[in-house]
Amino acid sequence: MKKVLVVFYTQSGQLRSIVEQLMSPLGCDNQVQVDYLEIKMKKAFSFPWEKEAFFDAFPESFQQIPADIDAPDEQVLHQKYDLVVLAYQVWYLSPSIPMNSFLKSRYAQTILRDTPVVTVSGSRNMWIMAQEKVKVLLKQQQAQLVGNIALVDRAINLVSVISLVNWMFTGEKKRLWGILPLPGVSEKEIQDSKKFGAIILKYLKSDRFDGLQKELVENKAVEVRHFLVSMDKKANKMFTLWSSMIIKKTPKSRKRWLKVFNYYLFFAIWVLSPIVHLIHLILYPLFYFKIKRDEQYYKGIQ
């Protein structure tokens, strides 16, 4: 009997749908036991988000400062798993506070040590640097990253901003104005994630995960858009400055500076990102080989 643990956190329910579809081939196999560990916070994050709470989460999210989580079931802590599937959201270019809190907890050390891990992210589109941060945390817990699946909203960048913000603040997943695409990972991609589960099952039964990521990539489990990689890296530098400044402020001053950060974010998304995109397109031929090397690296698990 192979034993698999799925660790996840979800607000909207999207990530729950993803892991349920992803794990369905394993759950249907009578030689595999699939357990679920949903991360629960001592102080829960609500959905839909209130605007003030959403921006207030920024400094701690980006700085990867953990918060208190509920203890997992003792049965999970005393079980040795053959594989852990770690499913997370991206908040402010970093793993979400709940997932970061788990990965920095003593529970993660018990569960992940010397255990193969497949990471799964469901995000708007910029997941690269968050995954790099997850790699560091897994290494600190002496886990063995063997695979990665990154599901994203495939709408045009600025279109997805509008539809996703509306979903986050209203809780209604709908075609805004009747014309924009639904926000989030498409239902078809969620349903199709079963194929990734079937691939994982094959390697799980073979007791070897060599080649798993290569096969996942061949089946389009990961797409790397270099413009977004470039934006992700640049935004990380700016977020470092903003979060370092805001986190030191008094509560009253913090609120004022978070409002300023809100305006900066609006400017960065609607003015700076189109300019950066244009520059990227112009310079693409000059950096073609570096871009291709980067793409290969970020599709992998090294």
Side-chain angles (χ1 to χ4, degrees):
M1 176 70 73
K2 297 294 184 182
K3 297 174 182 177
V4 181
L5 177 66
V6 182
V7 181
F8 74 102
Y9 171 81
T10 186
Q11 278 179 298
S12 66
Q14 175 178 264
L15 206 53
R16 184 192 302 275
S17 297
I18 290 171
V19 295
E20 285 176 351
Q21 294 301 319
L22 175 70
M23 300 306 295
S24 57
L26 291 86
C28 292
D29 193 300
N30 58 16
Q31 294 181 332
V32 180
Q33 172 188 319
V34 180
D35 296 334
Y36 288 85
L37 170 58
E38 182 174 3
I39 298 168
K40 299 287 188 181
M41 305 299 298
K42 294 287 187 184
K43 183 180 179 182
F45 292 96
S46 62
F47 187 82
W49 281 97
E50 293 181 0
K51 188 173 182 179
E52 185 175 321
F54 173 76
F55 284 102
D56 190 57
F58 160 63
E60 285 74 20
S61 293
F62 185 77
Q63 294 279 338
Q64 294 183 259
I65 297 173
D68 292 334
I69 62 173
D70 289 343
D73 190 283
E74 286 295 321
Q75 186 176 350
V76 168
L77 293 174
H78 291 106
Q79 185 79 259
K80 179 58 182 173
Y81 288 97
D82 299 288
L83 176 69
V84 172
V85 174
L86 198 73
Y88 70 95
Q89 301 162 309
V90 177
W91 290 7
Y92 292 105
L93 312 180
S94 297
S96 70
I97 289 176
M99 184 54 68
N100 181 67
S101 300
F102 168 76
L103 286 171
K104 290 189 173 183
S105 71
R106 66 181 187 276
Y107 312 123
Q109 188 174 51
T110 301
I111 292 168
L112 298 177
R113 185 183 179 93
D114 299 323
T115 302
V117 174
V118 172
T119 49
V120 180
S121 58
S123 63
R124 187 173 74 86
N125 55 26
M126 290 205 294
W127 57 270
I128 293 286
M129 297 311 293
Q131 178 67 8
E132 291 299 293
K133 295 169 189 179
V134 168
K135 286 180 186 178
V136 171
L137 294 172
L138 289 174
K139 187 174 182 180
Q140 289 173 352
Q141 299 294 11
Q142 297 180 281
Q144 303 162 7
L145 181 61
V146 297
N148 177 48
I149 298 165
L151 301 181
V152 299
D153 184 331
R154 296 193 181 275
I156 296 170
N157 186 40
L158 296 181
V159 171
S160 71
V161 171
I162 298 169
S163 58
L164 190 66
V165 166
N166 180 73
W167 184 23
M168 286 194 311
F169 293 149
T170 68
E172 298 179 24
K173 188 174 185 178
K174 63 181 182 181
R175 294 174 63 92
L176 193 59
W177 307 315
I179 56 173
L180 296 188
L182 285 172
V185 179
S186 73
E187 187 59 34
K188 184 179 185 304
E189 288 207 41
I190 292 175
Q191 293 294 324
D192 286 350
S193 64
K194 292 188 185 82
K195 67 183 178 184
F196 305 135
I199 294 168
I200 292 169
L201 176 61
K202 179 176 69 173
Y203 284 86
L204 176 68
K205 286 189 167 184
S206 74
D207 291 318
R208 291 180 61 87
F209 292 97
D210 297 341
L212 170 60
Q213 184 61 16
K214 182 175 183 293
E215 190 164 346
L216 287 173
V217 170
E218 288 170 351
N219 283 272
K220 300 182 178 179
V222 177
E223 179 190 43
V224 176
R225 288 186 268 178
H226 199 268
F227 158 65
L228 293 174
V229 176
S230 177
M231 284 294 298
D232 203 339
K233 290 179 177 179
K234 290 178 173 64
N236 263 267
K237 292 177 181 178
M238 295 307 301
F239 280 14
T240 297
L241 298 175
W242 278 100
S243 62
S244 298
M245 176 184 65
I246 293 172
I247 209 160
K248 297 173 183 176
K249 301 296 182 183
T250 63
K252 188 175 181 180
S253 180
R254 175 183 171 118
K255 285 185 178 182
R256 287 198 299 268
W257 278 103
L258 283 170
K259 287 181 180 178
V260 178
F261 173 72
N262 181 1
Y263 296 130
Y264 160 77
L265 204 57
F266 183 90
F267 178 78
I269 291 170
W270 292 100
V271 178
L272 294 182
S273 70
I275 294 172
V276 171
H277 195 184
L278 179 60
I279 294 171
H280 181 269
L281 290 174
I282 294 170
L283 298 180
Y284 182 88
L286 298 177
F287 295 97
Y288 176 81
F289 293 106
K290 181 182 184 304
I291 288 170
K292 291 303 174 184
R293 286 195 301 271
D294 286 350
E295 286 178 356
Q296 287 302 114
Y297 170 75
Y298 291 121
K299 285 180 180 178
I301 52 174
Q302 299 304 315

